[in-house]
Amino acid sequence: MTLLSFALILKYCLVSSLFAVAMFSSAQVARFLSFAALGTAFLAAGIGRHHLTGFVLVDCGILIAVAATVGICTSVIAALLHGVAGVDRVTAGVITYFLAYGSGLIVADGGMARLPAKISPPSVLAANAIMSAALLSCVGLLVFYSTRTASGLRAIAFSKSPEFAGRFGSFGKVSDVVPIYLPALFFGEFIAGLGGCMSLYLEGSTSLNYALQPILIGVIAAGVAQFAAWRARIWVRLLITLAISTLWALIFAIGADLQLPQWAADMKEGFVALALAVVILFVQGVVKTFQQARRPA
Amino acid sequence: MNIESGTVIRVKRTRRRVLRIDMRMELGRSFVVLIGPNGGGKTAMLKAVCGFGPFEAWPPLERPTRFLYLDHEPLAGIEPELPAIDVARLYLRESERYVRSWLSGHENIESTLRQAVLGRAPIAEISTGQRQALMMLCAAKLNTQLCAFDESFSALDPVQFDRALRMVSAIGASLRASGGVVIIATHDYEVMQQCVAAAETAQLPIRYVKVKDGVATEVATAADQLSRDTFNRMYR
């Protein structure tokens, strides 16, 4: 078994374990597995680095800095989804994870495209991607579970308790001002923007195919958020998000050279991760709907 | 803080529930008791008065800037592993050291609860009754314009309930001085009577409001006007 295939196995173990976390976890199990995943990811990344003789330290630093920044952002999004939009904690955690995972892959694969092909086997860089994705999850967990300040943040951000409303003064007003679809739009735009920026960064120009990526990512991401925010008129909100994401992404298509380059296969895992989130949340939504339908009035 | 006669509060979430208030409530220096059957609109009214969404009210309600709302299941939305002392610390906006010394010397807290809180027990390990007691204790320390208790005493044991009544009385006296209001919603006649007695100790004028089928109507302004029979009839 080569180091490379070992890294691949680790990667898929990681993905499947986190998938399991997303589906079945309690908070404690999720935390434990997330940290376990982090360790695994570092191991995988270490194996990957072994091959990456040309991967300069600066790139690693940038990757980690970006990962940490995005991690904090995604944690805040999770907090907003939970505290403001009323999405339950596990679902918000799932969204955070897949957001981190998908964007981590995109960021890391972006780094791969900059490297000479001979020293950038995709799987090895995917291991780096997982490292960054796990790092994002870790940052989120650290922010919300470890520090003293986090206790306060959690109490405020995650609190739907009316006891705190009068103390912090924003319970009713925030929910009035921030409609439920705003986090969803933000979420979709964020992913779409990330994809679009990466395509610009990689190609140095826009192209139709790269414009399609942010459309798809945006739509999928918005779909995740919409399904998570499982309330009435979900399809209307989904269509609105889809329309805005499409419009946004079409801006990138303006001036495209209309050539049809190869699909960015390196990014497919990001799509898969987000699509998994859609499936999970769709199933959750269907189950919840059936439960509600069967509940006696 | 006033609620005009004819105020209509629409509950956005269901788009069907509408609460109509057929009285003029000058919410100041008073103790308001909400009575009525389940689903009648008591909680909707309490939340609307506190300014919680999602509601639409016309004419617009003046929302209090400092208020306290305790329902029958306090801290249900808080992260369950948050230590109870952190909840108290955040709630009171005081340091942990201060809260520790405050709780250590407080006579109105039961010893098991005190130990749990000082031992940094997470709120998931604290029973509903203990949460109610802890939140009442914290509530008595706050300086608010409005205190809303929505079945907040339902899980208290008799000893804790007596302590809670003392705190209601203290809160009432404080609000009388500052021009605030206490509103309680309860289904229990005995609880209501004892709360009213506590309010009388605090020299707060008492008003009884029936909330049924989405209509809030003032029914009495004195304790002797609300016999048990009258109370029971409100549920029929």
Side-chain angles (χ1 to χ4, degrees), chain A residues 27-28 31 82 89 145 148 150-156 158-169 171-173 175-176 231 233, chain B residues 12-13 51-54 63 65 67 69-71 73-82 86-87 89-93 96 120 135 142:
Chain A
Q28 288 85 350
R31 227 174 304 170
H82 184 76
R89 268 189 313 137
Y145 286 99
R148 262 296 176 66
S151 298
L153 280 173
R154 255 188 306 159
I156 301 163
F158 279 175
S159 174
K160 284 188 282 183
S161 286
E163 299 88 3
F164 275 80
R167 306 295 297 140
F168 296 103
F171 185 93
K173 288 167 191 169
S175 62
D176 286 348
R231 297 281 172 88
R233 300 185 183 185
Chain B
K12 284 184 197 167
R13 189 158 297 185
F52 289 151
R63 291 177 171 180
T65 52
F67 65 94
Y69 179 92
L70 291 183
D71 63 11
E73 199 176 7
L75 304 176
I78 296 279
E79 169 67 30
E81 288 170 35
L82 192 66
D86 281 352
V87 173
R89 179 175 66 83
L90 290 161
Y91 195 67
L92 298 171
R93 293 181 177 172
E96 183 175 334
R120 295 191 64 79
M135 294 315 289
L142 296 175

Side-chain angles (χ1 to χ4, degrees), chain A residues 23-34:
Chain A
M23 289 299 285
F24 305 114
S25 71
S26 67
Q28 288 85 350
V29 175
R31 227 174 304 170
F32 171 76
L33 285 181
S34 294

